[in-house]
Amino acid sequence: TQDRWPDTRDTQWTRDTQKYWSDTAITTAVKSKLAKEKASTLAKINVDTRQGVVELNGNVDSSAMKQRATDVARQVDGVRRVVNNLKVQGG
């Protein structure tokens, strides 16, 4: 029934709750991973997370960098999807 509290021992409920409430933690983790990459442009990417969906905005040097940013973001726990809006700047 609808009036019951969720069973906090239910691991799926716990996972769902953690994913929903950890958008800030996901954003921080993605930024941290990007900052550790050798390319300085990745450290300047704007990261925004809403309900596990990570959005990347900013400029990068190449399409390979753009792909790398997506790959790095996907490695973070709790990320459900990556929306890559990065623009490749012609050098």
Side-chain angles (χ1 to χ4, degrees):
T1 61
Q2 292 287 351
D3 59 349
R4 285 182 48 216
W5 286 93
D7 181 356
T8 54
R9 293 167 300 182
D10 176 2
T11 55
Q12 186 59 48
W13 179 84
T14 305
R15 261 197 306 274
D16 290 347
T17 304
Q18 286 171 341
K19 278 184 187 175
Y20 182 78
W21 290 108
S22 64
D23 285 346
T24 304
I26 290 170
T27 297
T28 302
V30 171
K31 282 183 177 180
S32 175
K33 272 189 173 293
L34 288 170
K36 288 176 186 163
E37 290 290 302
K38 290 178 179 64
S40 61
T41 52
L42 291 181
K44 297 174 187 161
I45 292 172
N46 291 320
V47 180
D48 191 28
T49 309
R50 288 191 187 90
Q51 296 180 3
V53 178
V54 173
E55 192 174 316
L56 305 174
N57 291 291
N59 297 311
V60 289
D61 299 335
S62 66
S63 51
M65 274 305 148
K66 181 175 178 172
Q67 183 57 50
R68 180 68 188 142
T70 298
D71 295 343
V72 168
R74 283 192 180 132
Q75 293 170 10
V76 174
D77 285 343
V79 172
R80 293 191 302 137
R81 194 160 60 92
V82 177
V83 177
N84 189 329
N85 295 327
L86 295 171
K87 292 177 180 62
V88 178
Q89 289 181 317

